[in-house]
Amino acid sequence: MNNHIEQQNVRSTVDLPLLALRGIVVLPGMNIHFDVGRKKSMAALDEAMKSSQEILLFAQRDLRVADPSAADLYEFGTVARIKQLLKLPGDNVRVMVEGVGRARLNGFITQRQFILASADLLDEPETDGESAFAQALIRELRMAFDDYIAVAPKMSGEVIMNIMTLEDVGTLADYVASNILLNLEDRQAILSEIDPCRRLEQMVKLLRSEIEILSLELDIRSQVKEQIDKNQRDYYLREQMKIIQQELGEGENIQSEVEEYQASIAKLELTGETREALLKEVGRLSKMVPGSAEATVIRTYLDACLALPWNTETRDKLDLQRVKNRLDRDHYGLEKVKERIVEYLAVKKLTPQHKGQILCFVGPPGVGKTSIAISIARALGRKFARLSLGGIRDEAEIRGHRKTYIGAMPGRIMNAMKQAQSKNPVILLDEIDKMCSDFRGDPAAAMLEVLDSEQNYAFRDHFIEVPFDLSNVMFITTANVTDTIPQPLLDRMEVIELGSYNEEEKLQIAKRHLVPKQIREHGLSGRSLRFDEDALREIISGYTREAGVRNLERKIALCCRKAAAARVMGKQGITRITVGQLESYLGPAKYKFDHASKVDEIGIVTGLAWTSVGGDTLKIEVNAMEGTGKIELTGNLGDVMKESAHAAISYIRSRADYLGVDHDFYKNRDLHIHVPEGAIPKDGPSAGITMATALISELTQRPVRHDVAMTGEITIRGRVLEIGGLREKSMAAYRAGIKTIIIPDGNRSDLTEVDPTVRKNVSFVPVTSMEQVLKTALVPMKKASAQSSGEREKTLEATLLEQPDGKRRSAAIRQ
């Protein structure tokens, strides 16, 4: 299109209010009315009415722009005269304008209250309307218009008469463009063309194009009408068939049922094998007697298939900061889990086609494995479904039963998809470590395909029989231990350990989540019941002994119940639960923590133990007596712990000269190694250096420092090997008042996971050999001899009198 404008085409330059049009193009000579709602547009109308009643009308390129700039408008528009203004309800105005002439936009002068623009008023170049070319264009346009009338909606006789009588080339082109159906771009193209002949020529092309489109619409309309007639005929015949079946006593009409199934299948927009299989079953149903057993089986199958979310999915909310804030709000701690979830979402945002890893949360009961999976679903904006796998021993529970069996149904995976009503939910497979296997099959083997992102895009349930895509599902599994999970299944999952909470973490969870929740659930408020922080600490340490916070929540709930009962019985004001009041609410404290001894003792060493509910200190005692070399091990010790004692004795015998021990101690001395609290089973290798130190202390009569605790496995050559559970063990040592902890050098990297408070107050000594352990743990000889045995016994007696006779938990200790 040639829009080049010669200088002589510019009549003058004017400054007029401008009205930006959305979806409308006004041509010269065109009378049109439209509604105005934007404040700037109404202000422009008011300004125009105050002066010459002339206004510039320019169409917007993008209808969505609310406050357009000059760049958002087309270059060519129209100068129009306002003929009528009508106030409408809701602060809108209906205006009627008449196009006066073409204008070209130079720019905005101001656009604060209204747009005041500068524009060039354009004159059309002179053309010879009597020329053969102009007459040929006029004749061609009228012929095209005759064809247009034949296929177009009914047009008024006045418009037809004007088109047949107008002789001016430019005016004729504008008039036709104003009175036929054209889109915004085509009408703007006519307005932008200054040369009348080229404008008329372009109008002829657009008219021919519209004729082709309208002709095609007529053909389509005719075909649709024929199809409707056929459908009406089929409907009439089906209704006749229905009446005949009712007269024959065949009961319900199976044909209407078939139609409903066909409509449901079409609505799901299924493709390929799935669509063909379902339509085949519908075809079989249409040929059966309605009440037959086979028809019931097919109905059950179709209902199960159509209830699945084949093409329904939710849109992920991949705002990582929002997800992180949500996880932080729902759960305190668990930083590794939160970091892994954010990483998963970051990869998902960068590569949407990435299938991701199956996450497996492993940890003791009550640490929040299930609740964090729910938080992940909420943060992502996905649907959530939960499957409890504990005790499942039948493979058909996962894959479903063949529909040929009586009472067959889909497996739990398909039921979870039906429950979620989305093809990309978060599905929690709870207690995956507690699946069983017997003669009916191994459900863990059936889970192999479900949890393999390379295979589950075409998962086949035995009942459904057609492939279903599980690749967009985010599977999260939970387990207490990984020992009972088959290795091939474990290999498909990324294991994330959720350790037990320490005392500070439990305190924050109680303050932020448990206390507000229980107060709310018991009909109280923060103004009627308050917990002191010291009282919460006492509940954590004195009334619960667990890895998670379930018992802690129960104790808080017990306090809330008693406070609610007191309020119902007439007590007013704020109930404040302090440490001194806990005994009246919860009874005497059940647990006491051991405290470090205040005196260096011979043959008694403080070890560190890991339990499922956290860390603990453990005293190991050794007595050496005249005898024949018997070795007695007591305290309900496991096989591994007994082997550690024998390894320690072998080390002492091999290093007798260096240690200053009698070479024949294993012949003429009886050794008794005892670990107190004999009712509690104990096992594990990490008490090796503790036993060796206690034996050497007793055999050399050198005291062991009372402020030192240790953990580590010993070999028969005296090497110290790394252990697990350092975080929990170090917390127990800190609680007991220990100042120095001896740890294997291999555990040096685990110090980053130790609580910052513990790292600040406790000194850690990494060692690689028993020589380094003894150097740190045993009191030097001069200092040991300076302190008489009588003084040590006196101090020991005073210390024992101070020790409370506290109960311990009955859980098994693992060294």
Side-chain angles (χ1 to χ4, degrees):
M1 183 190 304
N2 183 12
N3 287 330
H4 179 68
I5 301 173
E6 301 292 343
Q7 189 62 36
Q8 58 267 27
N9 297 132
V10 178
R11 186 199 319 161
S12 61
T13 300
V14 295
D15 298 338
L16 290 173
L18 183 142
L19 184 62
L21 301 176
R22 289 196 274 200
I24 301 173
V25 174
V26 178
L27 292 162
M30 183 178 179
N31 287 291
I32 185 173
H33 60 266
F34 51 85
D35 294 343
V36 176
R38 289 186 283 195
K39 291 183 178 180
K40 281 190 176 182
S41 300
M42 289 191 285
L45 288 173
D46 291 341
E47 182 65 23
M49 292 300 292
K50 291 177 184 177
S51 54
S52 61
Q53 296 186 358
E54 289 189 346
I55 192 167
L56 295 172
L57 302 177
F58 283 79
Q60 288 183 206
R61 298 178 186 273
D62 188 350
L63 307 184
R64 295 169 294 182
V65 178
D67 188 11
S69 63
D72 295 320
L73 303 179
Y74 286 102
E75 181 184 2
F76 291 89
T78 306
V79 179
R81 182 174 292 106
I82 301 173
K83 301 185 72 174
Q84 186 181 22
L85 281 177
L86 179 62
K87 192 80 172 177
L88 297 176
D91 295 333
N92 286 352
V93 173
R94 178 164 296 172
V95 60
M96 183 175 181
V97 298
E98 178 186 11
V100 176
R102 284 173 168 77
R104 182 180 63 181
L105 184 63
N106 292 328
F108 289 179
I109 298 174
T110 179
Q111 53 176 338
R112 292 183 181 175
Q113 296 181 349
F114 63 89
I115 301 174
L116 181 64
S118 172
D120 293 333
L121 301 183
L122 305 177
D123 285 333
E124 294 186 0
E126 294 184 1
T127 57
D128 185 4
E130 300 297 330
S131 66
F133 180 67
Q135 290 299 316
L137 283 174
I138 292 173
R139 188 175 298 176
E140 181 65 23
L141 178 71
R142 289 172 177 162
M143 291 172 61
F145 190 73
D146 286 339
D147 296 337
Y148 179 81
I149 294 172
V151 294
K154 189 174 181 182
M155 191 166 289
S156 69
E158 182 183 355
V159 173
I160 298 172
M161 181 61 68
N162 289 336
I163 291 175
M164 294 304 174
T165 57
L166 283 173
E167 296 295 336
D168 184 73
V169 178
T171 304
L172 180 60
D174 289 342
Y175 188 80
V176 174
S178 302
N179 287 281
I180 69 170
L181 295 173
L182 290 178
N183 59 38
L184 178 69
E185 289 77 12
D186 291 339
R187 192 165 287 176
Q188 182 65 39
I190 296 297
L191 177 62
S192 303
E193 183 56 69
I194 305 301
D195 185 87
C197 289
R198 284 203 294 269
R199 192 190 313 154
L200 192 60
E201 184 179 0
Q202 190 171 351
M203 191 63 243
V204 172
K205 292 179 182 177
L206 289 175
L207 202 54
R208 290 295 182 192
S209 175
E210 283 295 316
I211 291 169
E212 290 181 7
I213 294 172
L214 289 172
S215 299
L216 186 58
E217 286 181 356
L218 281 176
D219 292 341
I220 294 172
R221 196 176 297 123
S222 176
Q223 293 175 12
V224 169
K225 186 176 182 303
E226 291 177 3
Q227 185 65 37
I228 290 173
D229 292 342
K230 180 179 181 300
N231 290 340
Q232 288 177 339
R233 175 178 173 273
D234 293 344
Y235 174 77
Y236 177 72
L237 293 174
R238 281 194 296 269
E239 288 298 313
Q240 283 186 323
M241 186 183 299
K242 185 190 300 183
I243 298 299
I244 293 171
Q245 288 175 338
Q246 289 176 353
E247 291 296 327
L248 291 174
E250 292 185 359
E252 59 182 302
N253 179 21
I254 202 168
Q255 193 60 35
S256 61
E257 210 176 1
V258 168
E259 291 171 5
E260 290 177 7
Y261 282 127
Q262 289 173 338
S264 299
I265 294 170
K267 187 177 179 181
L268 289 176
E269 298 180 356
L270 301 174
T271 57
E273 178 185 351
T274 304
R275 183 174 183 275
E276 292 176 4
L278 295 184
L279 288 177
K280 182 179 179 182
E281 292 297 322
V282 172
R284 290 180 59 206
L285 180 63
S286 66
K287 301 172 185 176
M288 291 183 178
V289 177
S292 66
E294 185 66 17
T296 303
V297 170
I298 294 177
R299 286 192 195 96
T300 304
Y301 172 76
L302 291 172
D303 290 340
C305 290
L306 295 176
L308 293 174
W310 296 95
N311 294 308
T312 304
E313 62 182 332
T314 56
R315 186 174 181 180
D316 286 344
K317 298 175 182 177
L318 296 177
D319 184 347
L320 300 188
Q321 189 59 46
R322 177 184 174 278
V323 172
K324 189 175 185 302
N325 293 340
R326 180 69 191 233
L327 294 175
D328 289 338
R329 186 167 66 250
D330 289 350
H331 293 83
Y332 180 82
L334 305 178
E335 298 303 327
K336 283 189 175 181
V337 180
K338 296 175 184 175
E339 182 182 350
R340 180 63 186 86
I341 298 303
V342 171
E343 290 170 357
Y344 171 87
L345 297 180
V347 174
K348 189 77 174 174
K349 189 171 185 177
L350 295 175
T351 55
Q353 70 278 6
H354 181 72
K355 300 304 179 185
Q357 190 76 14
I358 312 299
L359 303 181
C360 180
F361 296 153
V362 177
V367 296
K369 300 185 294 295
T370 301
S371 62
I372 199 168
I374 297 172
S375 292
I376 291 169
R378 288 176 180 168
L380 284 175
R382 292 192 179 192
K383 300 293 183 67
F384 178 80
R386 175 180 173 271
L387 274 73
S388 180
L389 301 179
I392 288 181
R393 57 181 66 247
D394 188 355
E395 177 195 353
E397 292 279 352
I398 305 298
R399 283 190 172 274
H401 304 79
R402 299 281 180 193
K403 67 175 184 286
T404 52
Y405 295 107
I406 296 175
M409 62 180 68
R412 294 198 178 199
I413 299 298
M414 290 295 101
N415 280 331
M417 297 302 297
K418 175 184 174 182
Q419 174 189 343
Q421 281 302 298
S422 168
K423 66 182 294 186
N424 63 336
V426 174
I427 292 184
L428 175 65
L429 304 174
D430 217 357
E431 309 293 355
I432 198 170
D433 57 326
K434 295 177 179 61
M435 288 190 296
C436 311
S437 61
D438 61 7
F439 65 91
R440 284 169 288 193
D442 184 2
M447 292 297 297
L448 293 177
E449 182 184 0
V450 175
L451 298 183
D452 191 338
S453 56
E454 299 300 324
Q455 299 180 39
N456 62 11
Y457 66 90
F459 175 73
R460 288 180 182 266
D461 185 273
H462 287 162
F463 184 83
I464 303 298
E465 290 185 333
V466 291
F468 191 90
D469 186 4
L470 296 177
S471 61
N472 294 315
V473 178
M474 183 177 184
F475 286 104
I476 297 177
T477 65
T478 69
N480 296 128
V481 294
T482 57
D483 302 344
T484 57
I485 303 176
Q487 189 59 39
L489 185 58
L490 188 63
D491 185 58
R492 284 163 164 77
M493 302 183 290
E494 179 179 349
V495 176
I496 299 178
E497 297 279 353
L498 277 73
S500 58
Y501 293 120
N502 59 38
E503 184 176 320
E504 185 62 30
E505 288 174 336
K506 289 181 180 179
L507 176 65
Q508 294 300 327
I509 292 170
K511 288 168 61 178
R512 300 184 187 192
H513 302 286
L514 304 184
V515 170
K517 175 186 173 184
Q518 291 302 323
I519 288 177
R520 185 173 60 253
E521 289 185 354
H522 286 82
L524 302 171
S525 67
R527 296 180 179 178
S528 58
L529 177 63
R530 293 180 183 173
F531 285 79
D532 282 359
E533 184 172 309
D534 290 340
L536 291 174
R537 289 186 185 275
E538 179 62 21
I539 294 173
I540 292 168
S541 60
Y543 291 88
T544 64
R545 187 65 68 89
E546 57 179 339
V549 292
R550 283 180 181 159
N551 285 327
L552 174 59
E553 185 172 11
R554 293 188 185 106
K555 296 300 180 184
I556 293 172
L558 177 56
C559 293
C560 292
R561 287 199 301 273
K562 291 184 179 294
R567 179 161 291 275
V568 172
M569 295 174 68
K571 182 178 179 181
Q572 301 297 323
I574 299 175
T575 301
R576 193 181 191 92
I577 297 180
T578 63
V579 175
Q581 295 174 327
L582 280 180
E583 189 165 344
S584 63
Y585 280 89
L586 302 177
K590 300 170 70 174
Y591 306 106
K592 300 289 184 183
F593 285 108
D594 289 339
H595 294 280
S597 175
K598 295 183 178 179
V599 62
D600 301 335
E601 300 178 63
I602 296 173
I604 300 178
V605 184
T606 303
L608 298 176
W610 179 94
T611 73
S612 61
V613 297
D616 201 2
T617 56
L618 206 63
K619 294 291 180 65
I620 294 182
E621 302 176 352
V622 173
N623 270 347
M625 302 153 287
E626 295 293 333
T628 59
K630 294 180 181 178
I631 299 174
E632 195 75 33
L633 299 171
T634 58
N636 202 350
L637 309 184
D639 292 339
V640 176
M641 203 166 181
K642 291 177 181 178
E643 290 173 359
S644 296
H646 289 291
I649 293 172
S650 294
Y651 164 72
I652 295 170
R653 290 178 60 187
S654 67
R655 301 283 286 169
D657 289 336
Y658 172 79
L659 298 173
V661 174
D662 180 13
H663 280 269
D664 295 328
F665 77 91
Y666 64 95
K667 295 179 181 178
N668 52 32
R669 306 290 294 275
D670 288 344
L671 298 176
H672 187 169
I673 302 174
H674 177 67
V675 184
E677 301 178 27
I680 302 172
K682 310 169 190 73
D683 202 4
S686 64
I689 65 172
T690 313
M691 289 182 172
T693 305
L695 285 165
I696 294 169
S697 170
E698 176 68 17
L699 293 172
T700 61
Q701 290 297 294
R702 288 178 63 185
V704 181
R705 287 174 52 189
H706 66 278
D707 61 346
V708 172
M710 61 188 70
T711 179
E713 180 180 353
I714 189 175
T715 69
I716 59 175
R717 307 303 287 276
R719 290 188 297 117
V720 180
L721 305 183
E722 61 184 285
I723 46 80
L726 181 62
R727 176 173 174 268
E728 290 81 5
K729 291 178 179 179
S730 62
M731 177 59 74
Y734 169 69
R735 265 197 315 259
I738 298 295
K739 300 300 181 183
T740 303
I741 301 177
I742 299 173
I743 63 172
D745 190 68
N747 288 104
R748 191 189 294 264
S749 60
D750 296 334
L751 291 175
T752 57
E753 299 180 7
V754 174
D755 190 274
T757 305
V758 178
R759 290 204 305 268
K760 182 179 178 181
N761 293 280
V762 177
S763 174
F764 289 87
V765 181
V767 298
T768 58
S769 65
M770 268 306 299
E771 287 80 0
Q772 294 173 309
V773 174
L774 299 175
K775 185 177 180 181
T776 303
L778 296 182
V779 176
M781 291 297 295
K782 293 180 180 179
K783 186 176 178 182
S785 60
Q787 184 182 22
S788 67
S789 61
E791 291 175 346
R792 286 200 302 273
E793 289 176 2
K794 185 177 180 181
T795 308
L796 175 61
E797 182 180 358
T799 303
L800 291 174
L801 288 173
E802 293 175 3
Q803 294 284 346
D805 185 19
K807 297 180 181 179
R808 283 182 168 268
R809 76 241 175 278
S810 60
I813 292 179
R814 191 176 77 195
Q815 292 292 322

